């Protein structure tokens, strides 16, 4: 890619998260900030200025205008979830490759229409699940795939919670049923579900059951919930997500021979290094008063933060498509599986915590 | 206590765990190994020799003979759960203070009979939940009780799993319905339940629901299961326990302002030190790429291992009773609450994962 020109990004909207991704595009060696579009040209202008857009960047006062720019290769779509179906489909039709913020859609049927638009227009689609691109994730995956050190996965628990402030809980798009209708399940639970699937080599569970006692706001949007995922062979995954508790992003995966734990698995504690701990074939000393061997800690460093690595990977795939190949299908398949489980959690809550069968 | 004579312990049976507690009694400054009783005098003799009993220790060929020894102050009862009701009641009637291995009984009704026998005979009762006595536990409790650093508990997850070998899964008392009928729920889940109650200041949940997909052996004994506990205010606790997965003992408690995590919370990784990590009022940096502040690790050292501290605490209470006070009721109350939840998990499994209301 180094000899090729960088992928030119257009940013659709000036969401807070778009600041992080604009920085990531600047950091990625094969991508460049090229345009920003907002319904307000003033907001777009201010956004470009505040986020180190190059002086000649294009500033658009509408999403359509940005999508009509033939020099935009790819768009980053941080719009509210309810708008994904509309704008991702238009973007695909305009032959823009799409980095789509999660949750990808209001339901899997909508997401299938987005995928169809991308496929029929030959554009790459990837969702914005940044932690997937951290080198720690690859290292953790190595451990989980090691039949000698980890064995077979038996159970996994993940959680993502953060304490939203009163303004967020009143006004943020993530608590509005007409904007990000999935609430904490879409914003935080998405990552928990993805992590459970990831640790299961993306094998879908047979059934999903929501835990009792989810907390909804007055409009019916989920502020806190959990679920259990069940596989035919007895494997169980559980997760908890919430806007109402202190910042926590934990994963614990337990296999027949080993255990993996990571804190901050979604966003690392530090930008350039991330840790995880593993235990393997651990037992006790003679009097069962200590572990032999104790778990070991591992630190993985990275020059580029995970979101820049995501942009780099996405841009690399876009480059491959631009040179004539078909888009990589892996990423939309992972998005779809995550959305399927998310939909099932909502369905289970709606049906009084009944188990919901999963069919791909 | 230092001026008083140490509490003289009799060990009822030669279970593997009795080796650990015999060592703990030797280490405890206010306790001494005085007698061991087994149905086999040869086993009792060998046990005493192998576990540093003093040369003049009494060796008995029956439990009754040990209980008839007027110089035995207290007994440690590591017998199979199904035998607790019989021998704990006899021990109480013989005025022996009782350190009772967990799970304390086959069900709360049986435990109530044990408590009644202890109360009417004025003897101290405590169960063998060792981690409660580690100074790390007190430090963690300080954090959980801190309204500024932790806030109010919202959710907690605990797990205790270990990979039992084929011989255990075939022959151990913990997989036999007529001996330790609770299987992994009693052996491992007991600690998970206790930890959830501990973090809730021992307030019982309103309902308990078993997770689907427990794994039972051919005789119907639980090898792996989980459950969720629900409080009126929306608090949720979940746990997973198993004989079928790698050694893991994790607790993650999440409050409105802070998060606590400890690995090896039931048996620390090292005998003389134990760690936990906390995050408090943590957020992100400007670009949401790192935690500000990151969680901090804390190490708590102890000269005596937790089981010796448990014996010390128990012996101290026994000493107080011997000097004329009534027994401390706190410990049997904690045992009873733990047993109530354990019973509810089993009832929920039996009733097809229905929620089971908890009434004290």
């Amino acid at each position: 890619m180094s000899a090729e020109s960088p992928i030119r990004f257009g940013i659709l909207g000036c969401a807070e998260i778009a600041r992080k991704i604009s920085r990531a595009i600047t950091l990625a060696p094969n991508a460049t900030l090229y345009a920003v579009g907002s319904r307000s040209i003033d907001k777009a202008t201010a956004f470009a200025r505040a986020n180190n857009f190059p002086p000649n960047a294009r500033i658009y006062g509408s999403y359509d205008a940005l999508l009509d720019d033939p020099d935009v290769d790819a768009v980053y779509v941080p719009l509210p979830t309810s708008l994904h179906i509309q704008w991702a489909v238009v973007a695909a039709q305009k032959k823009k490759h799409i980095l789509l913020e999660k949750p990808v859609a209001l339901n899997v049927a909508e997401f299938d229409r987005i995928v169809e638009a991308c496929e029929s227009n030959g554009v790459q689609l990837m969702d914005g699940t940044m932690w997937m691109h951290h080198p720690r994730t690859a290292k953790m995956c190595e451990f989980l795939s090691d039949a000698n050190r980890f064995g077979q996965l038996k159970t996994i628990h993940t959680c993502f919670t953060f304490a939203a402030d009163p303004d967020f809980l009143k006004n943020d798009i993530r608590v509005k049923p007409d904007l990000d209708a999935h609430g904490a399940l879409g914003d935080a639970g998405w990552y928990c579900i993805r992590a459970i699937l990831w640790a299961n080599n993306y094998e879908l569970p047979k059934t999903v059951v929501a835990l009792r006692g989810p907390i909804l706001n007055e409009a019916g949007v989920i502020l806190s919930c959990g679920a259990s995922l069940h596989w035919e062979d007895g494997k169980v995954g559980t997760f908890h997500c919430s806007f109402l508790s202190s910042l926590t992003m934990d994963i614990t995966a337990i296999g027949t021979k080993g255990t993996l734990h990571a804190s901050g698995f979604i966003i690392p504690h530090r930008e350039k290094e991330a840790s995880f701990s593993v235990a393997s074939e651990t037992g006790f000393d003679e009097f069962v008063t200590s572990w032999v061997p104790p778990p070991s800690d591992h630190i993985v460093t990275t020059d580029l933060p995970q979101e820049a690595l995501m942009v780099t990977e996405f841009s690399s795939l876009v480059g491959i498509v631009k040179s004539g190949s078909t888009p990589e299908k892996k990423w939309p398949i992972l998005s779809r599986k995550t959305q399927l489980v998310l939909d099932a959690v909502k369905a289970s809550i709606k049906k009084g915590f009944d188990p919901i069968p999963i069919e791909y």
Side-chain angles (χ1 to χ4, degrees), chain A residues 4 18 21 33 45 47 66 87 96 133 135 144 151 184 197 221 232 235 243 288 295 303 313 343 360:
Chain A
E4 319 252 337
I21 296 298
L33 284 172
T45 306
F47 185 89
L66 184 145
W87 290 106
K96 307 305 183 197
H133 304 272
L144 297 182
L197 295 176
V221 175
E232 196 113 36
K235 269 200 305 275
F243 288 154
V288 195
D303 280 339
E313 168 72 3
D343 289 359
Y360 189 73

Side-chain angles (χ1 to χ4, degrees), chain A residues 144-207:
Chain A
L144 297 182
S145 308
D146 190 326
N148 293 318
R149 290 193 298 155
F150 183 72
Q152 286 75 51
L153 180 70
K154 299 293 274 185
T155 185
I156 175 168
H157 181 74
T158 63
C159 62
F160 180 7
T161 64
F162 64 91
D165 61 30
D167 181 57
F168 179 109
L169 292 174
K170 199 175 168 196
N171 300 315
D172 196 90
I173 60 166
R174 286 165 280 187
V175 299
K176 302 288 183 187
D178 53 336
L179 296 170
D180 274 359
H182 303 309
L185 179 61
D187 194 44
W190 173 275
Y191 296 105
C192 299
I193 294 169
R194 173 65 62 85
I196 293 173
L197 295 176
W198 165 80
N200 273 290
N201 208 17
Y202 302 112
E203 188 197 323
L204 281 166
K206 195 182 158 206
T207 53

Side-chain angles (χ1 to χ4, degrees), chain A residues 13 40-41 44 94 143 165 170 174 258 268 272 299:
Chain A
S40 149
I41 189 115
K94 300 280 171 87
F143 177 69
D165 61 30
K170 199 175 168 196
R174 286 165 280 187
K272 299 212 167 183
I299 292 176

Side-chain angles (χ1 to χ4, degrees), chain A residues 89 92-93 95 113-123 327:
Chain A
V89 166
Q93 287 164 349
K95 311 290 184 196
R113 286 175 52 207
I114 294 173
V115 172
E116 194 187 51
C118 289
E119 285 187 352
S120 60
N121 288 285
V123 299

Side-chain angles (χ1 to χ4, degrees), chain A residues 20 23-29 130-131 133-135 267-268 270-273 301-312:
Chain A
K20 180 174 183 171
R23 176 172 175 264
I25 292 167
T26 304
L27 290 172
M130 302 170 191
W131 69 266
H133 304 272
H134 197 290
I267 295 174
R270 294 173 180 83
E271 188 174 302
K272 299 212 167 183
E273 64 174 55
T301 58
T302 180
D303 280 339
L304 287 179
Q306 59 184 11
E307 60 278 9
L309 294 169
M310 176 179 75
V311 169
T312 305

Side-chain angles (χ1 to χ4, degrees), chain A residues 17-325:
Chain A
I17 182 81
R19 296 182 60 215
K20 180 174 183 171
I21 296 298
S22 294
R23 176 172 175 264
I25 292 167
T26 304
L27 290 172
N30 57 352
T32 189
L33 284 172
Y34 179 78
V36 59
S38 167
R39 287 167 303 175
S40 149
I41 189 115
D42 289 348
K43 274 181 76 176
T45 306
F47 185 89
R49 196 174 301 136
N51 289 283
N52 291 314
F53 277 57
N56 60 345
R58 310 291 172 88
I59 315 291
Y60 292 111
S62 77
Y63 305 146
D64 277 316
L66 184 145
L67 295 173
D68 282 332
D69 184 331
D71 290 331
V72 168
D73 294 314
V75 287
Y76 169 59
V77 183
L79 299 172
T81 311
S82 59
L83 301 179
H84 284 190
I85 174 75
Q86 175 186 354
W87 290 106
V89 166
V90 175
Q93 287 164 349
K94 300 280 171 87
K95 311 290 184 196
K96 307 305 183 197
H97 304 278
I98 303 172
L99 183 58
L100 183 62
E101 206 31 83
K102 40 57 57 183
V104 290
L106 290 183
N107 52 57
V108 80
E110 281 199 356
F111 184 65
D112 284 345
R113 286 175 52 207
I114 294 173
V115 172
E116 194 187 51
C118 289
E119 285 187 352
S120 60
N121 288 285
V123 299
Q124 182 66 49
L125 177 63
M126 182 192 275
D127 75 42
T129 309
M130 302 170 191
W131 69 266
M132 304 283 300
H133 304 272
H134 197 290
R136 170 176 57 175
T137 305
K139 282 283 172 199
M140 293 195 298
C141 192
E142 257 177 42
F143 177 69
L144 297 182
S145 308
D146 190 326
N148 293 318
R149 290 193 298 155
F150 183 72
Q152 286 75 51
L153 180 70
K154 299 293 274 185
T155 185
I156 175 168
H157 181 74
T158 63
C159 62
F160 180 7
T161 64
F162 64 91
D165 61 30
D167 181 57
F168 179 109
L169 292 174
K170 199 175 168 196
N171 300 315
D172 196 90
I173 60 166
R174 286 165 280 187
V175 299
K176 302 288 183 187
D178 53 336
L179 296 170
D180 274 359
H182 303 309
L185 179 61
D187 194 44
W190 173 275
Y191 296 105
C192 299
I193 294 169
R194 173 65 62 85
I196 293 173
L197 295 176
W198 165 80
N200 273 290
N201 208 17
Y202 302 112
E203 188 197 323
L204 281 166
K206 195 182 158 206
T207 53
V208 170
V209 193
L211 292 189
R212 282 155 203 271
I215 297 172
L216 313 182
N217 69 10
E218 284 176 5
V221 175
I222 294 167
L223 301 180
S224 166
C225 75
S228 60
L229 288 62
H230 302 268
W231 282 258
E232 196 113 36
D233 63 0
K235 269 200 305 275
V236 184
T238 50
F239 76 86
H240 177 79
C241 59
S242 175
F243 288 154
L244 306 175
S245 331
S246 151
L247 180 59
T248 312
M249 299 170 160
D250 269 22
I251 180 169
T252 305
I254 312 179
T256 48
K257 294 185 180 177
T259 299
L260 167 82
H261 175 76
S263 169
F265 81 96
I266 298 162
I267 295 174
H269 298 154
R270 294 173 180 83
E271 188 174 302
K272 299 212 167 183
E273 64 174 55
S275 67
F276 63 99
S277 77
V278 305
S280 188
E281 303 221 68
T282 289
F284 294 118
D285 66 341
E286 184 192 352
F287 285 105
V288 195
T289 63
S290 65
W291 297 35
V292 185
S296 56
D297 292 327
H298 302 264
I299 292 176
V300 181
T301 58
T302 180
D303 280 339
L304 287 179
Q306 59 184 11
E307 60 278 9
L309 294 169
M310 176 179 75
V311 169
T312 305
E313 168 72 3
F314 173 75
S315 299
S316 169
L317 294 174
V318 170
I320 292 168
V321 175
K322 287 181 75 173
S323 68
S325 291

